[in-house]
Amino acid sequence: MTEAASAAPTPPEVDKTAIRNAATIIAVRDRAGDDPQVLMGQRGAKAAFMPNKFVFPGGAMDAGDADIPLGSALPEGCRARLMADGGAAIWQALCVAAVRELWEETGLILGTPGDWTQDVPTDWESFAATGHLPHAAPLSFVFRALTPPGRPRRFDARFFVVEAEALVGDLDDFSRASDELSHLQWIPLSEVRRFDLPFITEVVLAEVTRTLRTGEAPESTPFFRNDDEESLFLRLRGHPMPVGG
């Protein structure tokens, strides 16, 4: 057998530009106050995706997220919106991903007390050790956006709002966070646009701010689609938008 024949096959390269499902979580503090705050952190200067930008906690959905049990149910109306537009098979995994990303990037717990009745995956061991299961009931699906073509990473991101009161523990203790985000802080909405934000984050903030101030949830979830031909809003301010308009 030749050296070439005996060599181990080269694993296929992962296409990092392929669109991946993702979940982003917008934690809101003092929602009823005069100037609510949102939790954000800064991505590293060497990050492949949105370097140096201030962003909400979030990231790609893992394959294993579909196997993680939810400790509480997602509200029916929210689940229906999340299941639309191809989300029927992944809505639960997206909720799990939102909880996981919040825990990994901030060290904050969105969980309900409960025991894990199955083997705990390695990346969930620290969360499970707190005595909680992922808590979906406080989540509200508020926005969806596709990353534009040409970026080093592309995501089909679903944005969820959660009120800070639903989180467990000290809201200012980020000691258990990973190093993916730095300068984690609660930023008043009146000041957040002074930070270096991605364009889509500014758009999402405008929609969320309007909802927080009016107290009126949109009938349908805003959707900003970027494909190879055009970028457009399929829905905005809770209403369908004309295609190509």
Side-chain angles (χ1 to χ4, degrees):
M1 182 179 294
T2 66
E3 181 178 351
S6 62
T10 302
E13 292 187 4
V14 177
D15 183 5
K16 294 183 178 179
T17 63
I19 299 175
R20 299 181 64 189
N21 289 301
T24 298
I25 193 157
I26 307 168
V28 180
R29 192 173 187 177
D30 299 328
R31 176 173 183 163
D34 294 333
D35 198 6
Q37 304 160 48
V38 290
L39 180 59
M40 304 189 80
Q42 187 177 31
R43 293 184 59 79
K46 296 182 179 180
F49 188 69
M50 296 183 177
N52 294 315
K53 297 291 187 180
F54 272 81
V55 297
F56 303 115
M61 188 182 78
D62 291 343
D65 289 335
D67 300 323
I68 302 300
L70 288 174
S72 64
L74 192 68
E76 184 176 346
C78 182
R79 185 173 69 244
R81 294 196 303 274
L82 192 56
M83 290 177 67
D85 300 325
I90 59 172
W91 69 269
Q92 180 169 328
L94 287 166
C95 294
V96 168
V99 174
R100 176 178 51 75
E101 290 290 336
L102 180 69
W103 168 250
E104 292 175 353
E105 295 186 356
T106 73
L108 297 180
I109 301 168
L110 178 56
T112 185
D115 296 324
W116 292 62
T117 58
Q118 62 187 65
D119 292 338
V120 180
T122 302
D123 56 349
W124 280 92
E125 287 178 349
S126 59
F127 184 94
T130 69
H132 294 86
L133 293 166
H135 193 19
L139 292 173
S140 178
F141 174 41
V142 297
F143 204 95
R144 181 183 178 188
L146 289 179
T147 308
R151 303 293 174 86
R153 302 285 188 276
R154 294 193 71 191
F155 299 100
D156 186 348
R158 278 76 163 188
F159 293 75
F160 298 87
V161 163
V162 64
E163 296 195 26
E165 289 76 10
L167 305 180
V168 178
D170 184 349
L171 296 177
D172 297 305
D173 180 7
F174 305 120
S175 61
R176 294 180 292 191
S178 68
D179 59 1
E180 189 164 346
L181 296 180
S182 61
H183 302 97
L184 283 162
Q185 57 192 289
W186 294 94
I187 306 175
L189 287 177
S190 62
E191 301 177 13
V192 70
R193 286 175 180 79
R194 299 178 186 176
F195 291 75
D196 187 8
L197 307 175
F199 164 73
I200 195 60
T201 301
E202 294 198 33
V203 174
V204 174
L205 276 167
E207 282 289 295
V208 170
T209 299
R210 183 190 66 83
T211 299
L212 292 176
R213 289 177 176 170
T214 64
E216 299 176 357
E219 295 180 3
S220 60
T221 302
F223 181 13
F224 187 54
R225 190 190 77 194
N226 292 278
D227 58 25
D228 293 332
E229 298 180 356
E230 58 185 344
S231 297
L232 54 86
F233 280 102
L234 296 188
R235 292 185 295 272
L236 188 62
R237 295 184 295 277
H239 301 289
M241 302 295 287
V243 176

